[in-house]
Amino acid sequence: MTYDFDLFVIGAGSGGIATARRAAEYGARVGIAEFDRLGGTCVTRGCVPKKLMVYAARFPSIFEESQGYGWSPVQSSLNWEDMINRVNNEVTRLNGIYQRMLDNSKVQVYQGRAKFVDNHTVEIGDTKVTADKILIAVGGTPIRPDIPGIEHALISDDLFTMSPQPQRVVLLGGGYIGSEFACILNGLGAEVIQVIRHDKILRGFDEDLRTEIQEGMIRHGIKIINNAEILEITKTDSGVNIKLKTDKEENILADAISLAALGRKPNTDNIGLENTGVKVDETGMILVDSYSRTAEDNIYAAGDCTNKLQLTPVAINEGRAFADTVFGGKSRVMSYENIPTAVFTNPEAATVGLTEAEAIEKYGSDRIQVYRSRFRPMYYTLAGKEEKTLMKLIVDQESDRVLGAHMVGDYAAEIIQGVAIAVKMGAKKADFDATVGIHPSSAEEFVTMR
Ligand code: NDP
């Protein structure tokens, strides 16, 4: 049977686009469907605009710190609308780049929602296309849990277009998005209250990291209400009222916005999966094997709509591994071990490998040696600030292998990216010790910890 395409990709986010282009490089005839802007969550309403806002939020402290170096006080104020416009213009520029990249790769783009008709047929509006292989890369969307009045809460997508600048914000959720936006909005001048249901933010990260980040955020003026259950959100004339249960019941008022960052769910509801044999779990995540293959032989899935990790580089890597295997004759699977990740909070944090708790659970406490260093980076001495950097290595004493590296502090993401190569290669603590440090830097601490 001949098909219109060798590969049809549903969803032109980071994973979908990378896969389409890689398959096209191998000579495959590729089509891709997207109902929104090209680039998906990461480019349009996630990592990219978020990171630009992280940069924007840094300036007030930089202005302050400059005085420690002899600069006169800086008089500057934020034009919120201008910042939002500039961020969105950059997103539009990137959307255009994606279009050109797909055109150059001769990938045919279909604008619209794609839906399975059967295992080899997809319809986009009135158009039907057939394909030998189909990749589902539809991404995810924020969850709105069953809390009375949750419809009054915004989601992170809204922040990139919101105007005027919020003055008092209540953020619900202590994960990546809740914590990052708490810091962005705080840095940009809002009064921020973050409500979390456990004792600390960023569950799943190393305990020392969680404590260091949370304490840093509080030091920067963010109020964190922990062990709180959100009972109800109501709209009032003066904003949004959030009713909470901690050890008592309390009400907090946000200035028109409360932001829910309570996890994400896959966009698998209306894509016609019922017309295929593709299996999903109870949350709608598509079940795939190590080759990203679903329960149907010719249908694959990658990225946030699968039961794996919700990170852009993971989606890209999964998709490319699929394209290499199926269209490039180079069979390979994505490795999920030692995936580094960063949280762009203030202080920033990044991590690779096992946490101390995970290492102890896996190897037993007798085998695990923890190296820790906490110091004030040189930059803050003249600036006169008590900002701290924390670095931590988790080592298996038996093999001397570094099992995990964790950092909170300036440039954590940039530093851990390099350390992650060593950890992924199976470097030993002796290899770290044998590496000459770059002096003076914070990063050198990773090779001098004793
Ligand atoms: P996360 O899964 O990171 O965090 C969700 C948060 O919401 C947790 O603090 C959780 O609490 C809390 N929560 C969930 N349900 C409820 C509820 N019913 N009531 C109260 N609290 C609740 O989700 P995010 O939305 O922050 O981010 C989604 C994903 O996007 C992340 O997992 C990450 O993979 C990705 N991402 C990555 C970024 C990066 O790489 N820098 C940046 C942004 C997003 P608890 O954990 O205590 O149970």
Side-chain angles (χ1 to χ4, degrees):
M1 160 127 199
T2 54
Y3 298 103
D4 300 328
F5 294 104
D6 299 313
L7 169 67
F8 195 81
V9 180
I10 305 179
S14 305
I17 290 176
T19 315
R21 295 185 63 224
R22 179 63 62 90
E25 271 173 32
Y26 291 125
R29 294 166 304 139
V30 184
I32 193 166
E34 174 60 56
F35 70 89
D36 202 345
R37 296 203 275 177
L38 298 177
T41 298
C42 176
V43 171
T44 308
R45 61 195 97 83
C47 330
V48 170
K50 181 274 310 278
K51 187 80 189 276
L52 292 171
M53 286 173 78
V54 166
Y55 289 136
R58 278 187 194 164
F59 288 101
S61 18
I62 295 172
F63 295 154
E64 217 175 87
E65 288 145 16
S66 70
Q67 291 172 53
Y69 286 83
W71 289 91
S72 59
V74 177
Q75 293 298 326
S76 189
S77 60
L78 176 72
N79 181 333
W80 173 272
E81 279 73 22
D82 189 30
M83 186 263 299
I84 291 286
N85 281 338
R86 286 168 187 267
V87 167
N88 285 305
N89 288 344
E90 176 57 9
V91 169
T92 304
R93 189 182 76 84
L94 294 173
N95 296 147
I97 289 179
Y98 276 119
Q99 181 69 58
R100 284 196 292 283
M101 286 192 316
L102 289 168
D103 291 346
N104 292 343
S105 302
K106 307 224 173 339
V107 173
Q108 193 169 337
V109 179
Y110 291 80
Q111 195 69 43
R113 278 183 194 275
K115 207 171 165 181
F116 280 98
V117 175
D118 60 43
N119 276 3
H120 289 281
T121 314
V122 164
E123 63 182 9
I124 310 108
D126 298 335
T127 310
K128 274 198 178 118
V129 294
T130 59
D132 182 15
K133 305 276 188 295
I134 297 176
L135 175 80
I136 310 169
V138 290
T141 202
I143 291 173
R144 285 180 185 267
D146 205 8
I147 297 166
I150 191 73
E151 66 278 8
H152 301 308
L154 301 181
I155 51 171
S156 54
D157 302 13
D158 303 320
L159 275 182
F160 304 117
T161 48
M162 184 170 58
S163 186
Q165 178 175 11
Q167 300 302 321
R168 185 176 155 89
V169 184
V170 179
L171 270 146
L172 310 175
Y176 278 85
I177 298 179
S179 305
E180 290 183 340
F181 273 105
C183 296
I184 291 170
L185 293 169
N186 171 257
L188 293 172
E191 183 191 341
V192 176
I193 300 173
Q194 190 178 6
V195 176
I196 59 174
R197 65 175 166 182
H198 293 116
D199 61 331
K200 260 187 255 174
I201 57 169
L202 296 168
R203 191 157 61 89
F205 282 77
D206 187 272
E207 283 305 313
D208 284 340
L209 247 75
R210 297 175 71 196
T211 307
E212 193 71 37
I213 303 166
Q214 183 157 314
E215 285 176 358
M217 286 169 61
I218 292 169
R219 213 172 40 245
H220 297 147
I222 294 168
K223 179 171 178 197
I224 297 182
I225 302 181
N226 56 11
N227 300 312
E229 188 189 341
I230 311 150
L231 297 178
E232 191 180 16
I233 305 171
T234 42
K235 208 159 175 50
T236 71
D237 288 345
S238 45
V240 180
N241 186 66
I242 295 115
K243 190 176 186 189
L244 297 178
K245 186 159 168 276
T246 47
D247 45 357
K248 57 182 188 302
E249 264 190 22
E250 60 181 301
N251 288 287
I252 40 177
L253 196 65
D255 143 58
I257 95 145
S258 82
L259 184 93
L262 302 168
R264 297 176 70 84
K265 64 178 172 67
N267 290 327
T268 48
D269 277 353
N270 298 308
I271 57 168
L273 287 184
E274 64 284 3
N275 302 325
T276 71
V278 171
K279 300 263 178 300
V280 296
D281 71 9
E282 62 290 352
T283 61
M285 301 274 189
I286 298 173
L287 302 172
V288 289
D289 67 12
S290 55
Y291 285 93
S292 298
R293 191 172 26 213
T294 67
E296 292 285 3
D297 265 2
N298 74 306
I299 303 177
Y300 293 74
D304 289 6
C305 62
T306 67
N307 57 337
K308 300 280 172 62
L309 282 174
Q310 298 179 339
L311 294 171
T312 299
V314 171
I316 293 172
N317 211 313
E318 286 170 345
R320 286 187 177 151
F322 150 73
D324 290 346
T325 304
V326 173
F327 299 102
K330 299 174 214 163
S331 178
R332 74 176 179 98
V333 292
M334 153 101 202
S335 159
Y336 293 91
E337 233 183 47
N338 294 321
I339 292 174
T341 180
V343 196
F344 294 101
T345 38
N346 179 19
E348 185 172 302
T351 173
V352 61
L354 300 184
T355 64
E356 184 177 345
E358 286 167 344
I360 289 172
E361 197 187 323
K362 192 161 176 192
Y363 297 99
S365 54
D366 292 351
R367 265 178 71 167
I368 298 304
Q369 174 96 40
V370 177
Y371 297 85
R372 222 184 250 101
S373 177
R374 188 171 185 271
F375 56 95
R376 179 160 77 150
M378 187 196 264
Y379 171 73
Y380 292 108
T381 52
L382 291 195
K385 283 192 168 174
E386 279 311 312
E387 298 294 332
K388 294 282 191 254
T389 282
L390 171 77
M391 287 175 176
K392 190 168 168 181
L393 286 178
I394 316 291
V395 177
D396 171 24
Q397 298 195 80
E398 208 167 290
S399 63
D400 196 35
R401 265 191 63 182
V402 176
L403 304 172
H406 310 277
M407 174 173 172
V408 181
D410 292 351
Y411 312 111
E414 311 290 344
I415 292 169
I416 287 289
Q417 181 66 82
V419 175
I421 302 172
V423 173
K424 183 82 184 159
M425 288 175 75
K428 299 187 165 168
K429 177 66 167 62
D431 298 314
F432 276 61
D433 295 344
T435 304
V436 175
I438 296 173
H439 187 71
S441 70
S442 287
E444 68 179 315
E445 204 67 23
F446 268 124
V447 297
T448 55
M449 274 191 250
R450 292 285 179 274

